[in-house]
């Protein structure tokens, strides 16, 4: 006991208690089952979204695709592809550069997706307002409303991210305090306030889209997709509300896995809820994907 020496923080005593050995480092790697599984799921979802985009492009002149601004549908699908690619930045040995950019890329890409969804929802509501005579919204619908919403939302999120980057940028941390036997290689957000502000802004956009879509869910339109937007935003918010306690109560690679799972599941909810019904109509129910069918439906509803 007189000659006992304490090992440094990055080392651990051997079983014989006669030497100090380097502690193993732990991070979410492509070489382990968990990291490989998440990466495979992300790639599958990327390919699935790309396939949906191809279907929409090939059937771009059909009523189902043209309804409620097809350009925004393309933008949402492209942003979803980027969302599914984001987890690949979280897998692998973290570095200072990847720590800085992965949260920023995640925040900006998700803001683009949610801004497009919000713009799409607003167009549905304003389209019914524009049917009224002498409506001032008619000239705004085609371009101005979507562009304005997307630019404002992206600008706000970019300001938050740039402020975070300039004031307290994330950095690589060798965390040896949470475990005595290993060192966690993880990205320290440095400013929890900035991180939660970024998530809070995403939640604000999702809540706004949910509120507008919920108000417009009963509008009389055969291709009114606000019901699906409402459902997708409800799942989106549920995922991220459950993310916070899980994220705060995990350490190391499992903390990163929780965030990746939240990114993939919330993006998949948007893809399935908003685009799966349309794909089924385009591919499997071609008899109702016609202008004639839409006209008959409208005339029938007027008679009733």
């Amino acid at each position: 006991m007189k000659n006992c020496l304490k090992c440094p923080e990055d080392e651990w005593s051997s079983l014989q208690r006669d030497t100090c050995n380097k502690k193993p480092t732990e991070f979410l790697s492509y070489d382990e089952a968990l990291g490989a599984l998440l990466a495979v799921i992300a790639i599958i979802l990327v390919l699935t979204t790309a396939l949906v985009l191809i279907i929409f492009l090939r059937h771009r002149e059909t009523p189902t695709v043209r309804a409620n601004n097809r350009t925004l549908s393309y933008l949402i699908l492209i942003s979803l592809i980027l969302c599914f690619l984001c987890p690949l930045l979280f897998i692998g040995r973290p570095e200072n550069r990847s720590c800085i950019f992965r949260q920023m890329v995640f925040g900006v890409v998700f803001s683009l997706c949610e801004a497009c969804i919000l713009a799409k929802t607003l167009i549905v509501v304003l389209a019914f307002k524009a049917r009224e005579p002498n409506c001032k919204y008619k000239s705004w619908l085609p371009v101005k409303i979507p562009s304005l919403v997307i630019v404002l939302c992206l600008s706000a999120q970019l300001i938050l991210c740039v402020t975070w980057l300039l004031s307290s940028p994330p950095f690589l941390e060798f965390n040896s305090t949470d475990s005595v036997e290993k060192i966690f290689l993880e990205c320290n957000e440095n400013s929890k306030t900035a991180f939660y502000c970024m998530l809070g802004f995403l939640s604000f956009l999702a809540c706004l889209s949910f509120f507008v879509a919920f108000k417009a869910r009963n509008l009389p339109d055969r291709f009114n997709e606000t019901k699906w937007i409402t459902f997708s935003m409800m799942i989106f918010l549920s995922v991220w509300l459950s993310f916070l306690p899980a994220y705060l109560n995990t350490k190391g690679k499992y903390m990163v896995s929780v965030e990746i799972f939240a990114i993939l599941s919330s993006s998949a909810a948007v893809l399935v809820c908003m685009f799966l019904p349309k794909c089924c109509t385009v591919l499997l129910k071609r008899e109702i994907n016609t202008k004639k069918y839409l006209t008959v439906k409208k005339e029938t509803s007027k008679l009733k």
Side-chain angles (χ1 to χ4, degrees):
M1 294 297 293
K2 293 181 180 179
N3 298 324
C4 184
L5 299 176
K6 185 178 180 180
C7 292
E9 287 188 0
D10 60 343
E11 295 183 357
W12 182 243
S13 176
S14 64
L15 294 176
Q16 294 76 21
R17 301 292 190 267
D18 56 355
T19 58
C20 292
N21 300 322
K22 284 286 185 180
K23 291 182 180 180
T25 56
E26 182 180 274
F27 56 91
L28 188 62
S29 170
Y30 288 103
D31 297 329
E32 60 180 300
L34 180 59
L37 177 62
L38 291 173
V40 169
I41 293 174
I43 295 300
I44 291 174
L45 289 172
V46 167
L47 296 176
T48 304
T49 310
L51 178 61
V52 174
L53 179 59
I54 292 172
I55 292 172
F56 269 55
L57 289 171
R58 290 192 62 182
H59 298 85
R60 59 185 176 275
E61 297 300 329
T62 61
T64 301
V65 177
R66 295 181 64 180
N68 304 330
N69 198 309
R70 57 188 168 184
T71 303
L72 282 177
S73 296
Y74 303 153
L75 279 176
I76 294 172
L77 287 168
I78 292 172
S79 63
L80 283 175
I81 291 175
L82 297 176
C83 289
F84 290 131
L85 288 173
C86 277
L88 301 181
L89 295 174
F90 290 77
I91 306 173
R93 186 182 181 90
E95 299 176 355
N96 279 320
R97 184 180 300 176
S98 62
C99 288
I100 289 174
F101 286 107
R102 70 185 191 181
Q103 297 289 5
M104 310 296 171
V105 171
F106 156 65
V108 172
V109 168
F110 261 69
S111 293
L112 173 62
C113 180
E114 293 189 21
C116 293
I117 294 173
L118 178 60
K120 196 176 185 68
T121 312
L122 289 172
I123 283 178
V124 177
V125 177
L126 294 177
F128 283 91
K129 294 289 185 182
R131 294 178 182 179
E132 300 174 1
N134 302 322
C135 180
K136 60 183 178 181
Y137 299 119
K138 289 183 179 180
S139 61
W140 284 62
L141 279 176
V143 179
K144 293 182 180 180
I145 290 294
S147 302
L148 184 63
V149 171
I150 293 171
V151 169
L152 286 176
C153 294
L154 274 182
S155 300
Q157 187 67 284
L158 280 171
I159 290 172
L160 284 174
C161 290
V162 171
T163 304
W164 182 10
L165 186 62
L166 295 178
S167 60
S168 305
F171 60 90
L172 174 62
E173 181 181 32
F174 292 82
N175 185 354
S176 59
T177 59
D178 292 333
S179 175
V180 294
E181 298 180 355
K182 62 182 72 174
I183 298 176
F184 296 129
L185 267 66
E186 56 189 29
C187 291
N188 189 321
E189 281 82 15
N190 200 357
S191 175
K192 293 292 184 182
T193 302
F195 177 65
Y196 291 129
C197 283
M198 182 192 73
L199 291 180
F201 183 73
L202 295 177
S203 300
F204 168 74
L205 291 180
C207 288
L208 193 58
S209 299
F210 173 80
F211 177 77
V212 177
F214 184 79
K215 287 290 186 181
R217 71 191 186 283
N218 292 323
L219 291 176
D221 195 324
R222 177 64 182 83
F223 294 111
N224 181 12
E225 55 185 328
T226 52
K227 292 180 181 179
W228 298 110
I229 295 175
T230 302
F231 192 55
S232 64
M233 290 297 100
M234 185 171 62
I235 299 176
F236 184 95
L237 290 169
S238 300
V239 168
W240 286 102
L241 283 175
S242 60
F243 158 78
L244 286 176
Y247 183 80
L248 294 174
N249 289 291
T250 51
K251 302 295 181 183
K253 63 182 180 181
Y254 298 106
M255 182 172 63
V256 179
S257 302
V258 167
E259 186 169 359
I260 292 176
F261 176 78
I263 292 172
L264 293 178
S265 55
S266 58
S267 302
V270 175
L271 177 65
V272 171
C273 293
M274 290 187 61
F275 295 99
L276 183 60
K278 286 190 173 185
C279 287
C280 290
T281 301
V282 169
L283 299 176
L284 304 177
K285 299 180 180 179
R286 297 182 180 180
E287 69 277 2
I288 68 173
N289 188 21
T290 61
K291 186 176 181 180
K292 181 180 178 180
Y293 178 83
L294 177 62
T295 306
V296 170
K297 278 287 183 180
K298 286 183 176 179
E299 290 176 354
T300 304
S301 62
K302 286 180 180 179
L303 289 174
K304 290 181 180 180

